[in-house]
Amino acid sequence: MGFHEAVFACFQDYFKFSGRARRPEYWWFVLFVLAGDVTCVVLDAVLFGPEKLIGFEGLFNVFTFFPMLAVTWRRMHDIGRPGWHGIMPLPFLILGVAAAADFQQIASISIGIALILGVLVLIWTIQSSQAGANQFGPEMPKY
């Protein structure tokens, strides 16, 4: 699966949290999101300066949040893990950001846990697909 096919597949499966996603689908979409985010940050800085409210970056992040969440969920299924394993860092990250202003110690601990869990999710997303069918569906064809 190439770049265009992966991006198209992820947007086509916008809210699909069942099934499996192989490594190429996941990593090509991650590259698309990172490149789009960097492009939007630069565009926002050029057009709006530092005083932007939401800008293109915010709109892009809103637009790609659910496809990224869904492809991560399906990627966990592909290696035989429950989908929620892919989003384990999110609650800690949200707590850390929310507590940052008033509770710096809680924020530091929460963000530290989110980073550790993020590394674990990264390791899982790098793993090879589970061969054959698993409880989440048949093995996806190789591209």
Side-chain angles (χ1 to χ4, degrees):
M1 173 175 281
F3 179 80
H4 292 94
E5 295 88 4
V7 171
F8 181 75
C10 288
F11 280 117
Q12 186 176 0
D13 297 336
Y14 206 90
F15 291 110
K16 183 180 176 192
F17 290 86
S18 61
R20 297 167 67 167
R22 295 183 66 82
R23 276 189 296 193
E25 180 181 353
Y26 176 79
W27 285 108
W28 281 124
F29 193 69
V30 167
L31 178 65
F32 167 77
V33 170
L34 288 174
D37 205 39
V38 167
T39 302
C40 288
V41 166
V42 170
L43 193 59
D44 283 344
V46 168
L47 294 176
F48 306 119
E51 300 299 321
K52 70 176 170 95
L53 291 175
I54 188 167
F56 293 114
E57 178 194 11
L59 293 174
F60 182 78
N61 289 335
V62 166
F63 185 62
T64 57
F65 178 76
F66 282 110
M68 191 70 225
L69 190 67
V71 76
T72 303
W73 198 275
R74 292 192 313 271
R75 181 72 194 115
M76 292 296 106
H77 285 178
D78 193 48
I79 61 168
R81 295 193 166 277
W84 66 267
H85 282 186
I87 62 168
M88 284 190 309
L90 282 179
F92 294 100
L93 185 61
I94 292 168
L95 176 63
V97 170
D102 298 326
F103 305 101
Q104 291 177 349
Q105 197 169 20
I106 292 173
S108 298
I109 292 169
S110 296
I111 291 174
I113 292 170
L115 286 172
I116 292 168
L117 292 174
V119 169
L120 186 59
V121 170
L122 174 66
I123 290 167
W124 288 336
T125 58
I126 293 170
Q127 289 180 347
S128 296
S129 300
Q130 191 176 45
N134 65 18
Q135 69 265 32
F136 303 108
E139 184 176 10
M140 299 298 291
K142 294 181 181 175
Y143 305 103

